[in-house]
Each structure stands twice: as structure tokens, then as C-alpha cells.
Amino acid sequence: MKQIQEIINIFRPAKNLNFEKMGPTNPNARGIPVPSSKKGFHLDKSIEKVCPTGGLKVSSSKEVIFDYGACLQCGHCVEASSGQLENSGFVHVYSVDREALKVRYIDGIPATYEEEVSENVKQFRKITKNTGFQYREVAASGNNATEAEINASFNAVFDSEASMVRVVASPKHSDAVVFAGPVGPNMEIPLQVAWDTTPGPKALIACGTEAVSGGLFQRGKLPKEPDLFIGGDPPRPDVIVSAFRYLMGKKKFSFREELSKFISERRSKS
């Protein structure tokens, strides 16, 4: 019996993730780019050309708009900014409101924005907060990077099923459809069929930058406006599970509030 317990301990994770206390940043990740915390922020408009997805717009030397739903977190704009932009390590980029991921900075300070929650999301939360949900994933013309992270979300470390989120083989048995990739022409109909087959009330979840905005490609036709947008190329497993918990109402989170708090703390320390 002792030997069996020793074997179990070998394969047991050294540290279980606590999704209740998890912060929005990760010190080992590049994260989204943000204005430097140094005083005297100014950015040249030419830096727009560096962004491979067009997710960066410079309105003036003091005003910049980031579409974090189109951001690959590649760091190219930071490298070309002469110290005016920084990698933040902020990786929890998700919202039920697409516009919340579009952030306008004025002199390095993000503009205020109140996240809007649709009636469908409110209804979805009512039926899933205590019971969780099952989803069918559709690989819609992506490179399978997001699928690899989704697979990892079910391992012993991230343990998606402990958060009452499970993947199923058929949309007939699902509460939501999760899709990854920019939805190429050949995947528009399969995604639509998966959505139509899923019984309601239901949710459509865009997982990864390509699903949210198309990323490097033009995004194809969707069955409807997604109910949850998860940025990142690809998003980390802990981010995916956290976003699902947020969609269910098990996690209190506002991307804009957390980002503003993060920026304020950085500036106070500089």
C-alpha cells in the first residue's frame, strides 16, 4: 500500500492551481504590450506598420489604440518603440464584450470603459454557474496551436473538469461551441452546422486571436457574434479555464478594470 502511495505522489502535481486567487499576469509570458510607465510618453505613427495584424493605431504622439483582440503578443511593437512600449506579462485577455478589448491610451493611461454583458450571457450564467457546461470544439482553419492548449487544459495541472467544464464529441450533447482559427471558407458551414445542432440556451466562444479577429488572416463568416472572446496566439491553458469560469459567473473579472489597476500600480512604482 505504501509503494502504491509513493507512485501516486510521483505523478501528482507539485502545486495545484488556485483559479480563485489567480492574477491576470504571468512573469514567464510576454503578454500584451502597454505604454511605458516612464514619464514623457510619445509614439511615432510609423510604428503602426510593425504590427502584423493591424491591431495598433497611433492617433497622435500621446494617444494610441491597441486592439488586444487582434494582438498576437509577438512583441514586435515593443522592440521598435525605443522604450515607449513594454511587454506587460498581462495574459488574461478575455471578455464577453468585444469592444472591451480595444483600449485607447492617452499619455499612457487607459480610457475608462464599462463592459457590457448581453442577455444571452446572463441567461447562460444562470444555467451554468452551479452545474458547469460541456462544449464541442471546432478547429476552424487554424494551426492547431490553440487546440494543443485546450488539450493541456484537461491535464492534471490545469484540470478543466475540476471547474466543471468538459469537452464532448457531439454538439448535440454540448452547451457551447468553442472555435479556434480564422474560420476559412471550407469551415464556415461546419461551424454553422455545429452551432445549429447545439441545443439552447447556448454560447459561442472565440478561443484565440485568430478566432477573435482573424489574426493574420481575414476572419470568415460566423453563426453569430461570439459570447466570449479569448485573446492570445494561443491563449495559455490557465487563461482558457479562467475565461470559461468567468463566462459561467464563477469568476469575477473585468478585463478593463484589471488592466487599469495593473497600469496604475506600474506607474506608482516607477
Side-chain angles (χ1 to χ4, degrees):
M1 195 69 184
K2 182 179 179 181
Q3 291 178 333
I4 294 176
Q5 187 60 50
E6 289 177 350
I7 294 174
I8 292 175
N9 291 336
I10 291 174
F11 292 98
R12 178 176 291 162
K15 184 178 181 181
N16 294 324
L17 293 180
N18 188 333
F19 286 98
E20 296 292 337
K21 298 182 179 180
M22 183 176 292
T25 62
N26 187 297
N28 298 318
R30 187 181 291 120
I32 57 176
V34 298
S36 170
S37 55
K38 300 176 183 177
K39 294 182 179 180
F41 175 75
H42 61 89
L43 204 60
D44 191 271
K45 190 173 179 61
S46 62
I47 200 171
E48 291 181 352
K49 300 178 181 179
V50 176
C51 180
T53 64
L56 168 61
K57 301 295 180 185
V58 180
S59 301
S60 69
S61 61
K62 296 291 186 179
E63 184 176 344
V64 59
I65 302 173
F66 281 103
D67 181 357
Y68 291 126
C71 180
L72 303 176
Q73 302 177 23
C74 63
H76 290 338
C77 60
V78 174
E79 295 174 0
S81 70
S82 300
Q84 295 302 304
L85 299 176
E86 299 175 343
N87 293 315
S88 65
F90 197 108
V91 292
H92 283 241
V93 182
Y94 49 83
S95 178
V96 295
D97 183 354
R98 177 69 177 90
E99 293 302 310
L101 301 183
K102 300 176 182 178
V103 182
R104 180 188 299 273
Y105 292 90
I106 300 177
D107 200 21
I109 305 297
T112 58
Y113 181 88
E114 186 173 348
E115 181 182 71
E116 295 185 4
V117 182
S118 70
E119 289 301 320
N120 191 63
V121 169
K122 292 178 182 178
Q123 179 65 22
F124 190 77
R125 284 178 173 170
K126 286 183 180 180
I127 65 174
T128 62
K129 184 174 183 179
N130 296 322
T131 62
F133 70 92
Q134 301 183 143
Y135 68 88
R136 165 64 178 171
E137 199 271 339
V138 177
S141 309
N143 60 8
N144 285 335
T146 297
E147 280 76 16
E149 300 301 277
I150 289 176
N151 288 340
S153 73
F154 289 95
N155 67 28
V157 176
F158 304 104
D159 199 3
S160 181
E161 291 191 353
S163 294
M164 298 189 295
V165 179
R166 297 166 292 275
V167 65
V168 292
S170 172
K172 293 180 181 180
H173 305 144
S174 66
D175 305 294
V177 172
V178 176
F179 72 96
V183 191
N186 292 334
M187 288 305 299
E188 290 180 355
I189 293 178
L191 179 58
Q192 182 69 57
V193 170
W195 175 254
D196 292 341
T197 307
T198 302
K202 54 189 175 180
L204 183 65
I205 301 172
C207 191
T209 297
E210 288 184 342
V212 173
S213 64
L216 296 169
F217 310 95
Q218 182 177 351
R219 195 181 65 175
K221 181 181 178 182
L222 303 182
K224 65 179 288 290
E225 180 75 0
D227 298 289
L228 174 64
F229 304 87
I230 308 175
D233 187 46
R236 294 169 52 90
D238 52 330
V239 173
I240 294 173
V241 177
S242 292
F244 290 163
R245 292 173 61 88
Y246 156 72
L247 176 62
M248 290 187 288
K250 295 175 68 67
K251 174 185 175 70
K252 291 184 178 180
F253 180 82
S254 168
F255 170 71
R256 295 299 288 266
E257 288 182 7
E258 290 294 335
L259 180 62
S260 295
K261 179 182 177 181
F262 171 78
I263 295 295
S264 177
E265 291 176 351
R266 283 172 66 97
R267 293 177 70 89
S268 65
K269 294 178 182 179
S270 64

